[in-house]
Amino acid sequence: MDNPTYKTALIVGAGEGLSASLARLFAREKIRVALAARKVEKLGALCHETGASAYPCDATNPEEVERLFGLVERELGTPDLVVYNASGRARGAFVDLVPAEVAQAIAVSAFGGFLVAQQAAQRMLPNKHGAILFTGASASVKGYAQSAPFAMGKFALRGLAQSMARELSPQGIHVAHFVIDGGIRSAARPDFADKPDSLLDPDAIALSYWNVLQQPRSAWSWEVELRPWVEKF
């Protein structure tokens, strides 16, 4: 069976790191790329490099998410590949957490994922084709001390992905969740001198996303865990 093909990708929660690596990879594969973020000013260089278009969007706002999809649809084409890469954090001792900050963190990590995925699925189902990918973290499966809001949001996102995969896969929509179990290397976060290879290379993560996207539908993954080879788990 031929590998799936995609024409228009939308990355929500775009920035440097993994999002940038995905944008570069998709552009090399001749896929039109749309990048969405709260602040698009930071995306100028990446748009120039990849030919991507940038759109401002608060992923926790239903009206803004619907507007985002409408704009991308009109200007680039209906997204048949959507990546949700946004997340929110509120750190601190459990008894000191501020409820409003916790609610916002969960909204970004999980509710935004629901809003984006719903708009994507509505457009993909008529063609019985498309892929919706979610970026998870160690916190998707392990709740760490003083990080309850992040764990709550990422656990919810993983549950969303699993439920969607069971419902939408038989209708031709490939839903996959990626557990990024470790820190991601960047210019601001290089490997520790005494711990080489201790961080994930964002280009290598992007390649794993692409490999999942190329899976024939007779052998789809709904979840993949990625970690450095020296990482304990």
Side-chain angles (χ1 to χ4, degrees):
M1 179 180 176
D2 293 337
N3 289 341
T5 57
Y6 301 95
K7 295 180 178 179
T8 306
L10 170 60
I11 303 172
V12 178
E16 290 302 318
L18 174 57
S19 293
S21 292
L22 287 168
R24 296 184 186 105
L25 188 155
F26 295 159
R28 288 196 301 270
E29 295 295 333
K30 310 303 181 185
I31 298 172
R32 294 183 293 268
V33 179
L35 305 173
R38 288 184 186 231
K39 297 180 180 179
V40 297
E41 297 81 7
K42 62 183 179 180
L43 301 175
L46 182 60
C47 288
H48 179 74
E49 177 187 353
T50 62
S53 299
Y55 300 86
C57 181
D58 176 356
T60 68
N61 185 305
E63 290 75 23
E64 289 196 26
V65 172
E66 185 175 6
R67 177 177 177 272
L68 167 66
F69 274 81
L71 286 172
V72 174
E73 200 165 27
R74 288 193 297 272
E75 296 177 5
L76 298 181
T78 303
D80 56 358
L81 167 53
V82 173
V83 180
Y84 191 75
N85 200 43
S87 61
R89 294 174 183 262
R91 299 179 184 276
F94 182 75
V95 295
D96 297 328
L97 291 170
V98 179
E101 294 177 357
V102 174
Q104 177 63 18
I106 296 171
V108 175
S109 290
F111 184 57
F114 159 74
L115 292 176
V116 169
Q118 187 179 57
Q119 290 292 324
Q122 288 172 353
R123 289 162 170 80
M124 294 175 183
L125 282 171
N127 297 320
K128 297 187 179 298
H129 164 72
I132 302 172
L133 308 182
F134 297 97
T135 299
S138 304
S140 301
V141 293
K142 296 178 284 189
Y144 290 97
Q146 299 198 348
S147 189
F150 192 50
M152 292 162 73
K154 287 299 186 182
F155 264 68
L157 188 73
R158 183 173 186 256
L160 170 68
Q162 188 176 92
S163 179
M164 285 177 57
R166 290 190 165 119
E167 179 177 345
L168 300 180
S169 290
Q171 301 182 71
I173 312 302
H174 192 174
V175 179
H177 175 260
F178 294 80
V179 178
I180 311 302
D181 191 14
I184 299 177
R185 184 187 306 149
S186 68
R189 192 183 192 185
D191 272 325
F192 298 103
D194 60 337
K195 295 181 179 180
D197 286 351
S198 61
L199 298 173
L200 291 97
D201 182 339
D203 289 342
I205 300 173
L207 182 59
S208 289
Y209 279 51
W210 184 249
N211 289 338
V212 168
L213 288 169
Q214 295 305 297
Q215 291 174 338
R217 62 185 181 184
S218 66
W220 272 357
S221 299
W222 89 266
E223 183 169 74
V224 174
E225 286 187 283
L226 301 171
R227 63 181 62 85
W229 67 287
V230 296
E231 178 86 4
K232 295 181 179 180
F233 63 98

